[in-house]
Amino acid sequence: MEHAAPTYPTRARRMLITIPSMIASTMVAVDITIANVALPHMQASLSASQEQVLWVLTSYLVAGAIATPLSGWLAGRVGRKLVMLVSVGGFTVASALCGLSTDLTMIVLARFMQGACGAALVPLSQAILLDINPPEEHAKAMTIFALGSMAGPIIGPTLGGWLTDALSWRWVFFINVPFGILSFAGMWLFLVRRSSREQTRFDMFGFVTLSIALTALQLILDRGEHLDWWDSREIQLYTVILLIAGWLTGVHMATARNTFIRPELFRDRNFAVGSVFSIMIGIVAFATLPLIVVMTQSLLGYSALHAGMVGLPRAIGTLVAMLMVTRLIALIDVRVVILSGLAIMGLSMLMYSHIDLYVDERALLGIGFVQGFGSGLIFVPLSVVVFTTLSPALRNEGAAMYALTRNIGNAIGISLLNVQFVRDIAASRATLVQGLRPDNPAVIYARPDLDFGSVDSLARLNAEVVRQATMVGNVASYHFVFVLTLALMPLVLLIRVRKERVDVSALPIGE
């Protein structure tokens, strides 16, 4: 029996579906980082300690980790349109509640709701763009999707800083409300509610064990730095829970039927390799952005707006690469394009590792463009390759798991770089302090008027040592990411490319 050729919306209707979907996914991507810069202001306004106010970030990330894998099953069971409408509506209401919060408990609960509701918006937006576009348009669709996903971590800190300084920290959340309403209206009017539903049972055991494992992992990554990692009993407890829940999830997935995570996803080699790749890309591409933003503001003295403007070429480089990549993957082996992107991104990290406290602003602009260009050459080809060979029936779950791996990689990367950063600062400071003696000719030559008996002079000297050591920590972290990027390159060879390359017009598209 022959299958009828799939039908797709008109180009105009596709655009009307794409716009609200991308507004929703971009809001979520921005909210991952936008609240970071407003934390000190929240702490003062809500009368919270530094330890307590961190739960504003942790609650959002934990809720997102739990709800992301659930979004695929829900979309298959009750329909994508309903899940998207409930998610964007809940996210908008939660954003308003965050802005209206009068105490810590209220904002933590509202952030948890915000993270839970927003979890479905990124993966399901990706699945929607894949479904409404014919296969030959998938590269362009993934370009649009990647622009929204990558814009969030880039503009989030700058936008949050500007809103906090110009208005108040509450507008970091209120800004979502008009965009959320616009997105909800667009989805209500233009998304099609499909008639068929998957009547699969809900695997409660698999969901619970996976949720516990992801929650424990997120708590370890988010709180480890503040609790001195495994010297803390709390982190030790989270680690034991992670190991037990992870083992139960793996055994259940391998031995039971109709599990929450479908093993068929990882039998597709491109999806399995792409998921590992997604975790690593989260480390080498996204985890460096907070480090760069903090460096430009705390060490180079840039304002939040100035730091955002310096980061603008990164976004421009990404846009230029994505405009080129749709044509490149039609002409060149997609693995060559990904390898080129990794090489260029690695080059940008090598360039960052050679800057100092007196770096020229033009150099930062150029390096940012190179970094963005390399990133743009990776994300679109990787997304297209991952979903080219994956069955359309697995697309909802696949998009959810793929988004989850990227988020996990980002969280792991930020924690890993923070550990590396702190250790490099401590080692550099210890080395610098050893030479600061009254009998050192270099000190006498550089600071002939330095009075070692003056508390004020020693305080200024210590501040300069910390400043220099912190810069050393930054460049060492950039060099570490450069090496990690090079180590990632051989993984590209495991990607399977069909003879017809990425344009597989014969593939059916699910509703």
Side-chain angles (χ1 to χ4, degrees):
M1 179 179 177
E2 294 185 0
H3 293 280
T7 57
Y8 301 97
T10 62
R11 188 173 294 275
R13 189 176 181 85
R14 271 185 262 161
M15 183 59 66
L16 292 172
I17 295 173
T18 299
I19 290 173
S21 300
M22 289 314 305
I23 290 174
S25 62
T26 303
M27 280 197 307
V28 175
V30 168
D31 263 62
I32 293 174
T33 57
I34 194 172
N36 294 26
V37 293
L39 281 182
H41 299 268
M42 292 183 204
Q43 182 180 342
S45 177
L46 301 173
S47 301
S49 67
Q50 184 176 3
E51 176 72 17
Q52 290 172 329
V53 81
L54 288 174
W55 283 101
V56 173
L57 303 180
T58 304
S59 58
Y60 181 88
L61 295 172
V62 168
I66 294 172
T68 297
L70 182 62
S71 61
W73 183 87
L74 284 174
R77 187 61 184 260
V78 303
R80 232 182 266 157
K81 180 173 182 176
L82 181 58
V83 174
M84 290 292 282
L85 286 173
V86 171
S87 295
V88 75
F91 187 87
T92 305
V93 170
S95 297
L97 291 175
C98 286
L100 295 170
S101 296
T102 55
D103 57 56
L104 184 67
T105 302
M106 182 176 176
I107 195 171
V108 168
L109 291 176
R111 281 285 281 177
F112 188 90
M113 176 183 172
Q114 194 184 36
C117 292
L121 295 176
V122 173
L124 294 188
S125 292
Q126 183 177 33
I128 286 170
L129 293 187
L130 287 168
D131 279 2
I132 65 174
N133 289 279
E136 60 271 17
E137 298 287 331
H138 280 183
K140 293 180 181 177
M142 289 302 95
T143 298
I144 296 171
F145 174 78
L147 281 173
S149 299
M150 296 180 66
I154 292 174
I155 69 173
T158 304
L159 180 61
W162 180 79
L163 287 170
T164 302
D165 292 340
L167 299 169
S168 79
W169 66 264
R170 298 181 185 277
W171 280 94
V172 167
F173 304 108
F174 285 148
I175 194 173
N176 290 329
V177 175
F179 290 103
I181 293 172
L182 182 63
S183 177
F184 184 92
M187 291 179 188
W188 178 273
L189 292 172
F190 302 113
L191 267 183
V192 177
R193 185 180 176 91
R194 69 178 188 179
S195 56
S196 60
R197 297 285 183 273
E198 297 174 9
Q199 298 301 319
T200 55
R201 71 175 183 87
F202 183 67
D203 176 21
M204 179 60 73
F205 183 83
F207 171 69
V208 170
T209 55
L210 177 64
S211 297
I212 292 173
L214 291 174
T215 300
L217 175 62
Q218 191 63 61
L219 288 170
I220 291 170
L221 295 174
D222 199 49
R223 295 180 57 76
E225 179 186 357
H226 308 283
L227 299 176
D228 204 17
W229 294 102
W230 284 273
D231 289 336
S232 163
R233 289 295 180 90
E234 182 179 334
I235 298 300
Q236 291 172 6
L237 176 61
Y238 294 151
T239 304
V240 172
I241 293 173
L242 171 62
L243 293 175
I244 294 174
W247 181 79
L248 289 173
T249 301
V251 171
H252 178 70
M253 184 174 152
T255 58
R257 294 182 180 180
N258 300 320
T259 53
F260 184 71
I261 300 178
R262 298 199 209 181
E264 305 95 279
L265 282 172
F266 301 99
R267 292 185 190 131
D268 183 290
R269 189 170 82 180
N270 276 8
F271 186 85
V273 174
S275 296
V276 176
F277 219 109
S278 180
I279 293 174
M280 298 303 295
I281 289 297
I283 297 174
V284 302
F286 289 128
T288 56
L289 296 180
L291 204 62
I292 294 169
V293 170
V294 172
M295 178 193 73
T296 54
Q297 293 186 48
S298 64
L299 292 180
L300 304 184
Y302 294 2
S303 66
L305 182 59
H306 191 185
M309 297 304 294
V310 170
L312 187 60
R314 189 180 301 112
I316 295 173
T318 301
L319 177 62
V320 170
M322 287 182 173
L323 293 175
M324 294 173 53
V325 79
T326 52
R327 295 183 180 274
L328 284 176
I329 61 178
L331 302 172
I332 306 173
D333 189 321
V334 70
R335 291 170 295 190
V336 174
V337 178
I338 296 174
L339 279 171
S340 300
L342 285 172
I344 293 171
M345 194 161 61
L347 174 63
S348 71
M349 289 295 105
L350 185 62
M351 294 166 72
Y352 271 125
S353 70
H354 284 81
I355 64 175
D356 55 32
L357 287 167
Y358 310 101
V359 62
D360 188 78
E361 182 178 319
R362 289 172 295 181
L364 293 177
L365 294 173
I367 299 172
F369 180 87
V370 173
Q371 183 187 19
F373 189 84
S375 301
L377 289 179
I378 296 171
F379 288 98
V380 174
L382 187 61
S383 294
V384 174
V385 166
V386 165
F387 289 98
T388 290
T389 56
L390 190 67
S391 168
L394 298 172
R395 190 165 285 157
N396 285 332
E397 291 86 346
M401 292 305 300
Y402 190 62
L404 180 64
T405 57
R406 185 168 57 247
N407 292 340
I408 289 174
N410 191 11
I412 291 174
I414 290 173
S415 295
L416 180 64
L417 289 186
N418 277 337
V419 171
Q420 182 82 12
F421 182 55
V422 170
R423 288 180 178 176
D424 287 332
I425 290 176
S428 176
R429 187 179 185 281
T431 302
L432 291 172
V433 168
Q434 288 177 1
L436 295 178
R437 305 186 311 273
D439 59 342
N440 188 334
V443 174
I444 296 173
Y445 175 78
R447 296 287 180 91
D449 57 342
L450 180 63
D451 181 6
F452 277 87
S454 168
V455 175
D456 184 58
S457 296
L458 291 179
R460 288 199 304 269
L461 183 62
N462 180 65
E464 181 61 23
V465 168
V466 171
R467 183 166 169 261
Q468 295 285 349
T470 303
M471 193 66 201
V472 171
N474 274 280
V475 299
S477 297
Y478 301 141
H479 190 269
F480 172 74
V481 175
F482 162 68
V483 174
L484 199 59
T485 305
L486 295 183
L488 185 56
M489 287 183 171
L491 191 61
V492 179
L493 302 177
L494 297 177
I495 295 174
R496 182 176 60 196
V497 179
R498 298 187 176 192
K499 292 182 179 179
E500 60 268 41
R501 306 279 171 102
V502 185
D503 180 9
V504 280
S505 57
L507 279 177
I509 298 295
E511 294 182 355

